[in-house]
Amino acid sequence: MKQSLSLRMGQQLAMTPQLQQAIRLMQLSALELRAEVQQAIESNPMLDLAEEDEDDVVATDDEPPQASDDPGNIEAGGESFEDDDHPASTELDAATDEPGEGPESIEEIPDDLPVDVSWDDVYQPTTTAQISAPEGDGGFEERNGAADTLHDHLLWQLELTRLSDRDRLAAMTIIGNIDDDGMLLATLEELVHDMNPALGYAADEMEAVVKLVQSFEPSGVGARDLAECLRLQLEQLPEDTAWRSEAIGVLRDHFPLLARRDFVALARRVRLSEEELVEVMTLIRSLNPRPGAGIGNRGIEYVEPDVLVTKRNGRWTVELNQDAAPRVRINEDYAGLIRRADPSPENQYLKNNLQDAKWFLKNLDYRNETLLKVAAKIVERQVGFLEHGEEAMQPLVLADIATAVDRHESTISRVTTRKYMATPRGVFELKYFFSSHVGTVTGGEVSSTAIRALIRKLTAEENPRKPLSDSRIADLLKERSIKVARRTVAKYRESLAIPPSNERRRLV
């Protein structure tokens, strides 16, 4: 085989540590970013928390840190977007895609970054992350203490009950087979089988202990099916409760008819008029089919918005939430110790840490600036939603925003995942504003989110005695120039957890 030399040109993306850090910061949520910043400060002596009244400065290799006097740049955390008189925000008619020309970069940006990580459009020398720490932070145990589970709540009541050791073991076995909704999952035979055979426990004895556990709070716990769960709750109501006995009879003797919503046959079987049956059904609907769900077995998740959207003087304004992460800056004292010509290990250690600190602040700047741009474009496209609600949501995909802000779709996907926007209509994940589209009769497009909102509205306003079928909903949408097949309506309805028409039928 003959050997030869040849030249070949090509492009190759090198995943440098700096690029990996930029990608990681981009996909972090606000709470995760705060932890990442804290870890960076603890591991790098060149990074420090900035006070509210400190100037935002960054040290260079050649001179001490100086404050930036360039008002046309997007500063880290967004202290100004267009000039010094504006906060970290942008109005929809502002030119958000063209940051101003800043002073010379403190270090040259390498050439091996991908197209969608264009640092020349992002980095500014004043790389202080101007995001203040939250105020009024309560105690950690108060905010993060684990709530008692349903099992803990039942065991606590068991401890207050006088029982023999033999019956107490049976009660603990029963409680161990109750799920988080409060339903008993095991049969009497299975419960007896789980007991020690030496105790000689019989099924009738186990049934007596089951009845005891069913008397615990919350009302309805320990039931073996839905009918028993609702009946237990009714039996624990005062005897003079209106329609209590009739409701117990319906659940005990005619539950299949109730489940099928065959109200005509049900009224005939219980010998009640339609008005009286309405009263009985109203009482049954006031009961809780999942009594255990209200006990603190599910922790509360708090969402901190990354972007704030407000309407000022008739114009929608988008700004970063400055309480999303601590403020970070270069430590001036340590940066001043660096000597250019000193080859000592100590001086090299400081240089390396300063370089890492600069990259960290650059990546933090890039994340915040990209997040602000993406949020501004989303608001620009979804003004109808902010003004009128879900029915005015416009179709939007990642490629639309990627083109608008000149970023890759993968970057838009990262920056919209687990990032939240606070609007006058509530707090939404940025992903919420993206949806597919459906064609209209006139050749236009309508968002699938808007179609879901219309389906929810139509089913909420329907006649409960004659609920709308999927075909009828499709016809009503067609009257609004929206072409949707019946199976598509069924898919959207199921995604909204709306039952089919035969299950939505009721007397009132």
Side-chain angles (χ1 to χ4, degrees):
M1 181 177 181
K2 184 178 179 181
Q3 296 182 348
S4 62
L5 296 175
S6 62
L7 293 176
R8 182 169 56 187
M9 297 181 63
Q11 292 182 339
Q12 182 178 2
L13 174 62
M15 289 292 292
T16 64
Q18 294 82 9
L19 178 56
Q20 294 177 18
Q21 183 185 72
I23 294 175
R24 187 176 67 256
L25 290 179
M26 189 71 69
Q27 59 192 12
L28 295 180
S29 65
L31 296 178
E32 293 172 338
L33 178 65
R34 183 180 292 120
E36 183 76 14
V37 169
Q38 184 62 34
Q39 181 180 358
I41 293 174
E42 293 174 355
S43 61
N44 192 332
M46 285 296 173
L47 290 174
D48 197 5
L49 287 175
E51 300 296 336
E52 292 292 338
D53 54 350
E54 287 184 1
D55 292 333
D56 302 324
V57 293
V58 170
T60 66
D61 290 291
D62 303 323
E63 57 187 10
Q66 298 179 354
S68 171
D69 56 359
D70 181 13
N73 293 330
I74 305 173
E75 298 179 0
E79 186 66 20
S80 63
F81 197 86
E82 294 180 305
D83 51 55
D84 289 339
D85 297 329
H86 288 75
S89 62
T90 176
E91 294 182 347
L92 296 186
D93 55 352
T96 61
D97 295 338
E98 297 294 334
E101 295 294 333
E104 185 177 356
S105 170
I106 60 175
E107 73 178 73
E108 182 180 356
I109 304 299
D111 296 328
D112 59 348
L113 296 178
V115 176
D116 62 321
V117 187
S118 179
W119 293 104
D120 294 332
D121 295 339
V122 177
Y123 173 65
Q124 309 299 335
T126 55
T127 53
T128 300
Q130 301 177 8
I131 305 177
S132 59
E135 298 179 356
D137 191 14
F140 177 83
E141 294 182 357
E142 179 181 352
R143 292 181 288 106
N144 299 282
D148 289 340
T149 64
L150 175 63
H151 288 176
D152 295 333
H153 186 61
L154 295 175
L155 290 174
W156 170 74
Q157 296 177 75
L158 179 61
E159 292 297 324
L160 301 178
T161 306
R162 298 184 61 179
L163 289 174
S164 65
D165 293 340
R166 186 168 175 268
D167 290 340
R168 189 175 301 276
L169 287 175
M172 294 177 64
T173 301
I174 294 170
I175 292 175
N177 284 276
I178 293 177
D179 64 9
D180 291 339
D181 290 333
M183 304 298 291
L184 179 58
L185 303 179
T187 63
L188 287 178
E189 291 74 15
E190 292 171 338
L191 292 173
V192 171
H193 182 269
D194 291 341
M195 295 287 292
N196 188 345
L199 296 176
Y201 226 80
D204 57 343
E205 294 178 293
M206 185 64 71
E207 176 68 23
V209 182
V210 169
K211 295 297 183 183
L212 172 67
V213 174
Q214 289 177 347
S215 67
F216 290 172
E217 291 293 331
S219 178
V221 71
R224 284 154 285 196
D225 53 47
L226 178 59
E228 185 180 20
C229 176
L230 300 178
R231 191 173 69 252
L232 288 172
Q233 297 178 53
L234 287 172
E235 292 173 349
Q236 295 183 23
L237 293 176
E239 293 185 2
D240 58 352
T241 302
W243 306 105
R244 172 179 174 272
S245 59
E246 290 82 0
I248 292 176
V250 168
L251 294 173
R252 183 184 59 242
D253 303 325
H254 308 290
F255 186 75
L257 291 177
L258 178 63
R260 294 198 304 268
R261 297 179 180 271
D262 190 350
F263 299 117
V264 175
L266 181 60
R268 186 169 58 251
R269 293 285 184 87
V270 297
R271 298 182 179 180
L272 294 175
S273 65
E274 183 175 315
E275 292 75 13
E276 292 172 334
L277 185 59
V278 167
E279 297 293 339
V280 173
M281 295 302 302
T282 301
L283 178 59
I284 293 177
R285 281 200 299 272
S286 67
L287 306 176
N288 185 2
R290 300 170 58 195
I295 306 300
N297 59 339
R298 296 176 177 87
I300 300 175
E301 296 183 3
Y302 297 93
V303 171
E304 185 171 9
D306 302 82
V307 181
L308 307 177
V309 178
T310 55
K311 192 172 187 179
R312 301 172 183 170
N313 300 323
R315 302 167 71 184
W316 289 100
T317 302
V318 183
E319 59 186 337
L320 295 177
N321 181 10
Q322 297 187 1
D323 293 333
R327 302 177 62 193
V328 189
R329 66 174 177 85
I330 295 293
N331 189 307
E332 300 177 23
D333 297 332
Y334 285 118
L337 298 177
I338 297 178
R339 295 177 296 276
R340 176 180 299 181
D342 185 0
S344 66
E346 294 80 6
N347 194 67
Q348 188 62 37
Y349 172 78
L350 293 176
K351 282 185 177 180
N352 293 339
N353 278 280
L354 179 60
Q355 185 74 4
D356 293 340
K358 292 174 182 177
W359 271 109
F360 183 79
L361 293 178
K362 287 179 185 181
N363 295 338
L364 202 56
D365 279 346
Y366 178 70
R367 175 190 186 274
N368 293 334
E369 190 266 351
T370 303
L371 178 59
L372 183 61
K373 280 188 175 183
V374 170
K377 289 300 180 182
I378 290 176
V379 171
E380 182 179 341
R381 292 289 300 270
Q382 303 295 358
V383 170
F385 166 79
L386 297 173
E387 298 281 358
H388 307 290
E390 290 182 330
E391 296 180 23
M393 184 79 79
Q394 296 297 315
L396 187 64
V397 294
L398 294 176
D400 298 334
I401 301 298
T403 302
V405 301
D406 194 21
R407 296 288 189 269
H408 194 271
E409 285 187 42
S410 62
T411 300
I412 306 302
S413 178
R414 294 187 185 99
V415 83
T416 55
T417 301
R418 295 185 299 165
K419 311 298 188 304
Y420 295 87
M421 177 186 295
T423 72
R425 292 192 173 273
V427 178
F428 303 92
E429 187 179 10
L430 296 185
K431 287 283 189 184
Y432 171 78
F433 297 96
F434 294 86
S435 62
S436 58
H437 67 272
V438 174
T440 63
V441 176
T442 59
E445 296 178 348
V446 60
S447 168
S448 59
T449 302
I451 296 177
R452 289 186 176 92
L454 288 172
I455 293 175
R456 186 188 297 111
K457 181 179 179 181
L458 290 173
T459 54
E461 297 175 350
E462 68 186 0
N463 183 353
R465 295 174 179 270
K466 297 181 180 180
L468 300 173
S469 65
D470 294 339
S471 299
R472 179 54 182 161
I473 293 176
D475 293 338
L476 292 175
L477 292 176
K478 188 174 181 180
E479 294 176 3
R480 303 190 183 198
S481 301
I482 301 175
K483 298 186 297 183
V484 181
R486 183 201 58 79
R487 60 181 179 274
T488 304
V489 172
K491 180 181 70 173
Y492 288 165
R493 175 182 53 74
E494 292 173 358
S495 68
L496 295 171
I498 299 176
S501 57
N502 63 314
E503 297 181 11
R504 300 199 307 272
R505 187 181 300 110
R506 61 184 188 271
L507 295 178
V508 290

